[in-house]
Amino acid sequence: MASLSYDLTLAGLSVGGAAALTGIGLIVTYRATGVLNFAHGAIAMVCAYVLRHLTAEWHWPLPLAAALTLLVVAPGIGLLLDRAVFRPLAVLGGDPAQTLVASIGVFVLLVGGAALVWGPGARADAPALGSADPWVPLGAAVALAAAVGAVTRWTRFGGALRAVVDNRGLAVLSGVDADRIAAAGWAFGSFTAGLTGVLLAPFVRLDPYGMPLLVMEVVAVAVAAGMRSLPVAVAVALGLGVAQSQLTRLHPSGRLEQLVQTAGANLFVIALLVAALALPGIGSRDALPRTATARVPTPPGAWIVTGVLFLLPLGFAGTDLTTSVQVPALAVILLSLVIVTGRGGQISLGQAAYAGLGALFTALLAAGRFPGLPALPHLAALAVAVLLVAPLGLLTGWPAISRHGLALALATFAVGVGVSRFVFTQPYATSGLSLDRPAGFGGDRAYYVLELVLLSGALLLVGALRRGRTGRALAAMRDHEAGAAAAGVPVRALKLTAFVTGAALAGLGGGMLAM
């Protein structure tokens, strides 16, 4: 038993060391640039693929390939992102919404590029830099944390970094080269991402999709450290890694077994939920710029062009029409973001979770597997699913009452990841489910017409939220929340309304997409 505990502790320290590296990279990048780099996991994946390609395909010696990957490729990616993406945004004002969306865009670009270059399949021949024991990632995390702490505290560069973190504008006026600080932060953050990727690759599924999401789940480490304290980040990472490993020893009988196993396998996700929802928020600055003071007129003929484009697929056939059928459903899901972000001024990274719940509930209701409800016709199942998903918008709407900017983005991201891990990936929720189209709409053309009708209804709802008293109140809240509240606008109720309505639309689009 003692030997088992020791082995599990070693395994947990190995996971915790990799998580600590991720936390260090995220914190350093955030402190130097003000950007929470959601592309961190994608950079780790690309570096792992590069090392594998150099050794397995081009047969380079491992030390040379590792040196090129970690000392050239990884920092080079960071410097490229700084110069091509984030420095121009900083010149334009660098509001958190733009940098957040930009980092997500980089994530998508790197994942898509990796899938295009190396294929979507998993690779099992990634080289290992060291043995399977935890000392390499653990030693790297501790050494990097100590080095960063020493540089920050005792060097001139560290003083410049602290000045930029405290007040970038004042630091620039004092002669500090903030761009150089930001470039160094991006290079170091990308280096830690690359180191995490090459250390994890031999022991996890190396594919363009799995590793980036796995790395980003451990953002809980950085959030728990307040995006500032490296010792706290390392301690939290090691503690969670050991706890997750030790939980594999528990095998309770009955219904608790599945719950304990799921919780044990997703302890970092639980920590992310707790850190994002319970701890004080990170980055109190509003995430969206104050640009909603005037309505931008729709260009003449825009709606006519849009209508023609949506009607064109009715003349398609075969696979072209099959692909086009997805477009109205995706449009409805995106309209949910228009309500939450465009009208309500709140960034939400959890809308995909509501779309997935809409699809799941529709399938369960149509199959008669939803607790307490009989089997329903498909259209009725879709309508009831929307009604069931709508109140769940409070999962992200309630944190929005007291959180802004990056803190709100993290909270909604945590909810989305939690729903994915504890619902969509669990056999008890999805096993054996299938979903057909409604009676009378089995063909692609007929179903596309039905989708256009539902999309038109969603557009009318979004348009109604832009007009009248509610529209003016939403615009006031988006322009200046504190001023709107002082003027008597019910900000709390409006936020909840935006999230609930957005969840309903996302659920509708998800059900449509599943059909």
Side-chain angles (χ1 to χ4, degrees):
M1 183 64 70
S3 177
L4 176 61
S5 298
Y6 178 74
D7 292 340
L8 290 175
T9 299
L10 289 182
L13 289 175
S14 180
V15 173
L21 288 174
T22 298
I24 292 169
L26 289 171
I27 290 173
V28 170
T29 303
Y30 178 76
R31 293 189 65 182
T33 67
V35 177
L36 176 60
N37 184 19
F38 272 90
H40 193 90
I43 296 172
M45 174 269 299
V46 168
C47 291
Y49 265 111
V50 168
L51 180 62
R52 181 212 158 267
H53 192 88
L54 291 175
T55 55
E57 303 292 338
W58 292 356
H59 308 292
W60 284 30
L62 180 58
L64 179 60
L68 178 66
T69 302
L70 295 177
L71 302 180
V72 178
V73 175
I77 293 175
L79 292 174
L80 179 62
L81 293 179
D82 171 61
R83 182 57 65 93
V85 180
F86 294 98
R87 188 176 298 183
L89 288 177
V91 172
L92 295 174
D95 65 86
Q98 291 176 333
T99 56
L100 183 66
V101 172
S103 69
I104 295 174
V106 171
F107 176 95
V108 174
L109 180 64
L110 292 178
V111 169
L116 184 65
V117 173
W118 291 292
R123 305 284 184 171
D125 55 348
L129 287 185
S131 61
D133 59 53
W135 309 122
V136 173
L138 180 59
V142 173
L144 285 176
V148 171
V151 169
T152 303
R153 183 178 296 272
W154 292 312
T155 68
R156 183 176 180 181
F157 179 84
L161 173 61
R162 293 197 303 273
V164 171
V165 171
D166 291 339
N167 191 318
R168 181 187 178 97
L170 186 60
V172 171
L173 291 176
S174 302
V176 174
D177 189 347
D179 289 338
R180 185 169 65 94
I181 299 293
W186 277 108
F188 181 82
S190 295
F191 165 74
T192 62
L195 184 58
T196 303
V198 299
L199 290 176
L200 281 178
F203 310 108
V204 301
R205 179 184 176 90
L206 177 57
D207 64 76
Y209 310 106
M211 179 179 283
L213 296 176
L214 176 65
V215 172
M216 281 315 299
E217 286 177 5
V218 301
V219 72
V221 171
V223 178
M227 301 301 294
R228 295 191 64 86
S229 175
L230 295 182
V232 171
V234 172
V236 170
L238 296 179
L240 288 174
V242 172
Q244 181 170 279
S245 182
Q246 293 291 342
L247 281 176
T248 59
R249 302 171 58 183
L250 300 180
H251 298 285
S253 58
R255 297 182 177 180
L256 287 178
E257 181 177 6
Q258 182 66 43
L259 179 62
V260 171
Q261 290 179 352
T262 303
N266 296 281
L267 196 59
F268 280 93
V269 177
I270 296 175
L272 176 60
L273 282 166
V274 172
L277 298 177
L279 296 181
I282 306 298
S284 58
R285 179 183 171 192
D286 285 349
L288 292 175
R290 314 294 193 185
T291 57
T293 55
R295 177 172 177 173
V296 179
T298 302
W303 284 110
I304 297 176
V305 173
T306 302
V308 169
L309 290 175
F310 270 103
L311 291 175
L312 274 179
L314 292 176
F316 294 170
T319 56
D320 291 333
L321 181 57
T322 301
T323 302
S324 300
V325 166
Q326 303 175 35
V327 175
L330 292 171
V332 173
I333 296 174
L334 293 176
L335 281 177
S336 72
L337 282 172
V338 172
I339 289 180
V340 175
T341 303
R343 300 289 181 266
Q346 311 296 311
I347 280 193
S348 174
L349 301 181
Q351 295 304 106
Y354 297 121
L357 289 173
L360 177 62
F361 289 172
T362 302
L364 290 173
L365 289 164
R369 289 173 51 180
F370 198 92
L373 292 175
L376 299 174
H378 286 68
L379 286 180
L382 178 60
V384 174
V386 171
L387 295 177
L388 292 173
V389 171
L392 296 179
L394 296 174
L395 291 175
T396 47
W398 193 259
I401 291 176
S402 58
R403 278 169 163 72
H404 306 83
L406 180 57
L408 178 57
L410 283 170
T412 56
F413 174 73
V415 171
V417 173
V419 171
S420 173
R421 285 291 182 263
F422 291 101
V423 179
F424 300 145
T425 61
Q426 300 307 315
Y428 62 78
T430 59
S431 62
L433 274 182
S434 61
L435 185 61
D436 299 322
R437 291 176 181 171
F441 298 95
D444 285 339
R445 191 165 283 99
Y447 184 68
Y448 187 79
V449 172
L450 173 63
E451 285 187 300
L452 290 182
V453 172
L454 295 174
L455 174 60
S456 300
L459 284 169
L460 290 175
L461 173 62
V462 174
L465 285 177
R466 187 168 191 167
R467 296 185 295 270
R469 175 178 295 181
T470 301
R472 291 193 297 271
L474 285 170
M477 181 179 72
R478 188 192 189 283
D479 273 355
H480 200 289
E481 183 179 313
V489 173
V491 170
R492 296 165 61 95
L494 278 179
K495 284 186 177 182
L496 295 179
T497 299
F499 275 97
V500 168
T501 308
L505 273 185
L508 173 63
M512 293 165 59
L513 191 62
M515 291 181 182

